[in-house]
Amino acid sequence: MVAAGVSSTLRCTHRRGGGVIVDADGNSLIDFGAGIAVVCVGNAAPQVAARVAEQAARFTHTCFMVTPYEGYVEVCEELARRTPGNYDKRSALFNSGAEAVENAVKIARHATGRQAVVAFDHAYHGRTISPWR
């Protein structure tokens, strides 16, 4: 049973996608939300699905804080290469917007030595305390 606090925009169950959502009853709906999390590549993009299957066949343990692995470092290096500017660059990767924001606050507090943080209401903060609910 899904908790009452979890809501969905569409009242259908997604069975398969691509730019069109096909629901459990066989109805086709244009995916104007673009799957939100997959907006850059599309829902069920074949190249992404193939890469995910390849990675899952190798290993799925991805907690870098427990056991480091090369893919994490490679992504951080690529982000540093693509980020403009001539300064020392560092990255940290997280599984969600909420976790990224929480860690950004922790990192800022540590780097500045300050405990106070300014936060903005109605800004994207990772699907927690959504201003639309």
Side-chain angles (χ1 to χ4, degrees):
M1 185 104 192
V2 177
V6 177
S7 65
S8 299
T9 303
L10 292 177
R11 302 288 181 233
C12 66
T13 303
H14 186 161
R15 294 291 180 177
R16 67 180 185 274
V20 174
I21 294 172
V22 179
D23 72 8
D25 298 323
N27 299 307
S28 297
L29 305 130
I30 298 172
D31 186 5
F32 287 116
I36 297 175
V38 297
V39 75
C40 294
V41 297
N43 191 334
Q47 290 176 313
V48 174
R51 183 63 182 96
V52 167
E54 179 187 322
Q55 178 60 44
R58 272 189 277 152
F59 78 101
T60 56
H61 181 272
T62 57
C63 185
F64 187 83
M65 284 62 71
V66 175
T67 307
Y69 57 97
E70 291 177 0
Y72 188 104
V73 175
E74 290 168 359
V75 170
C76 290
E77 289 172 343
E78 184 65 23
L79 287 170
R81 274 193 292 278
R82 291 176 180 249
T83 301
N86 187 18
Y87 57 91
D88 190 29
K89 301 165 190 162
R90 298 282 185 250
S91 295
L93 309 176
F94 302 103
N95 69 351
S96 69
E99 189 173 301
V101 170
E102 176 185 334
N103 279 279
V105 169
K106 289 177 186 178
I107 291 165
R109 289 173 65 183
H110 178 76
T112 63
R114 298 177 181 171
Q115 295 301 305
V117 174
V118 175
F120 296 93
D121 283 343
H122 306 292
Y124 184 76
H125 49 273
R127 298 189 61 184
T128 59
I129 313 173
S130 174
W132 300 293
R133 293 186 190 160

